[in-house]
Amino acid sequence: METSFASAPSTESLRASLSASSYEAEIALANNAKDSESMQYSGARLSARERTIVLLMGHGLSNKRIARQLSIAPETVKSHAKRIFWKLTVQTRAQAVYRASALGLI
């Protein structure tokens, strides 16, 4: 299954298509991962918090909105994002979401 970043839906359409209950359910699933420390898939390991953040990135939320959602500082989200990029060997948020999804991390 190939995905083109150029044809990806806009942030507004992603948010509109996501009902509040399914959005909260996905956050709860990411937060309540079986192994809260980290999980290993194809050599890539992300903590439960990192998986939550990459999931929220996939829903189009900015660092500031993610920080508000998780009650943490925006700088903390930025630090998590940098670590996610390093672990997944990517350079953009879109690449991080795609790689995490392809590896079964989210």
Side-chain angles (χ1 to χ4, degrees):
M1 179 172 127
E2 287 194 20
T3 302
S4 171
F5 292 120
S7 64
S10 70
T11 301
E12 292 78 23
S13 67
L14 281 174
R15 286 184 188 145
S17 68
L18 212 60
S19 72
S21 61
S22 82
Y23 179 77
E24 291 171 2
E26 287 192 52
I27 292 171
L29 285 173
N31 281 331
N32 296 322
K34 288 181 183 176
D35 181 4
S36 62
E37 290 300 314
S38 62
M39 296 178 80
Q40 185 171 356
Y41 297 93
S42 304
R45 296 171 62 113
L46 294 181
S47 69
R49 178 64 87 181
E50 289 167 341
R51 289 191 309 274
T52 301
I53 288 174
V54 79
L55 177 67
L56 293 172
M57 285 179 181
H59 288 300
L61 274 65
S62 66
N63 287 351
K64 190 174 185 178
R65 296 284 298 169
I66 293 170
R68 285 183 189 156
Q69 181 74 34
L70 300 176
S71 301
I72 58 177
E75 294 79 15
T76 304
V77 176
K78 188 174 180 180
S79 295
H80 283 301
K82 285 181 181 180
R83 188 145 174 91
I84 291 165
F85 291 177
W86 181 81
K87 287 180 175 183
L88 298 178
T89 62
V90 297
Q91 295 180 357
T92 68
R93 294 165 77 92
Q95 290 172 342
V97 171
Y98 180 79
R99 176 82 44 93
S101 179
L103 293 173
L105 299 171
I106 57 170

